Amino acid sequence: MANIPPAPVLEGATHLHSGKVRDLYRIDAGEHAGRLLMVASDRISAYDHVLSSTIPDKGELLTRMSLWWFDQLADLVPNHVVSTDVPAAVAGRAVVCANLEMFPVECVARGYLTGSGLADYEATGEVCGIALPPGLVDGDRLPSPVFTPATKADLGDHDENVSFDAVARTVGAHDAEALRDLTLRVYARAEELARERGILLADTKLEFGRAPGEGERGTIVLADEVLTPDSSRYWPADDWQPGRTQASFDKQVVRNWLTSDASGWDRTSGDEPPALPAEVVALTRARYVEAYERLTGERF
């Protein structure tokens, strides 16, 4: 993925990697020396491009929401957060986290049929090798949540849905079963909490790892972001209507504008997307804020 801006220089930390939204550093000094510093930026991506426009406060919103969810899930699975005592330049949007060997699998749970899962179903009647009832439409609730893993793609490429057997071949049967179990348990907890707050959690993507060298004996740890609008589909429950695209608490406002005549952008041209209008930026920020406030019960 091109046009990711250079990561800020942080005193006492060495930049390791930048993704669509996050910048990763190694802490070089102090009590957390050797650990990782994960910083969430205000960047936003769409259609395999990081946009030139940013969404104010997005990094802080994502970080605060992840921390809230980590607390809600603490009895189910440990997480990678070591401390929120971070450099002042990134206060509020960064965490100190443990070094982990990450599983090379995107662990996806789906409770509703949409997105790439819908495309697979329409083509084969299955999602990731799991047969589903006939006649389902976009937005339908599934009889029970399903584990639909994906490969981790290189930056700028699409993740590809794969079968459970493919995950077992990659990480071993024992770990594949553990990842499936944890993913579905996390989804069940989160789906219930969100539904109590008037929000449907259609699907979510999770990432897990282990402390280096622990192998199958080691504890599996929940890492990266968790249950944010960037990694999950959240729908307002009072507007849910299967058979059409659902309103969502994410960057759909951005996608809609980019594919509209107003943007003047041709996705097939190879050109970079245009800057977002101020009203699209404001609407997108408002959707992230609303999701945070409705889920956590806290004011942003």
Side-chain angles (χ1 to χ4, degrees), residues 127-267:
V127 181
C128 295
I130 301 170
L132 298 176
L136 297 179
V137 297
D138 191 358
D140 265 335
R141 185 169 186 171
L142 300 177
S144 59
V146 293
F147 177 62
T148 59
T151 58
K152 284 188 178 180
D154 292 332
L155 198 60
D157 293 335
H158 291 290
D159 298 338
E160 285 194 20
N161 293 345
V162 296
S163 68
F164 176 79
D165 288 343
V167 175
R169 288 193 297 271
T170 300
V171 303
H174 179 274
D175 281 343
E177 290 172 6
L179 291 173
R180 178 176 60 188
D181 178 62
L182 278 172
T183 299
L184 291 174
R185 288 171 66 196
V186 167
Y187 175 82
R189 171 72 59 81
E191 192 276 335
E192 181 180 11
L193 284 170
R195 191 158 27 87
E196 290 171 355
R197 292 156 172 80
I199 293 177
L200 302 181
L201 174 59
D203 53 49
T204 194
K205 178 187 73 176
L206 306 172
E207 297 198 38
F208 297 93
R210 273 203 184 97
E214 287 191 344
E216 286 192 359
R217 300 184 309 279
T219 301
I220 294 178
V221 178
L222 182 59
D224 199 51
E225 64 179 323
V226 61
L227 293 157
T228 71
D230 275 13
S231 64
S232 313
R233 281 190 180 89
Y234 287 113
W235 299 335
D238 59 4
D239 191 50
W240 175 53
Q241 185 180 325
R244 61 166 173 80
T245 301
Q246 311 301 314
S248 57
F249 292 102
D250 61 13
K251 55 190 175 186
Q252 193 60 45
V253 174
V254 171
R255 298 189 193 99
N256 291 347
W257 183 80
L258 287 173
T259 54
S260 72
D261 291 340
S263 77
W265 181 54
D266 178 1
R267 287 175 59 188

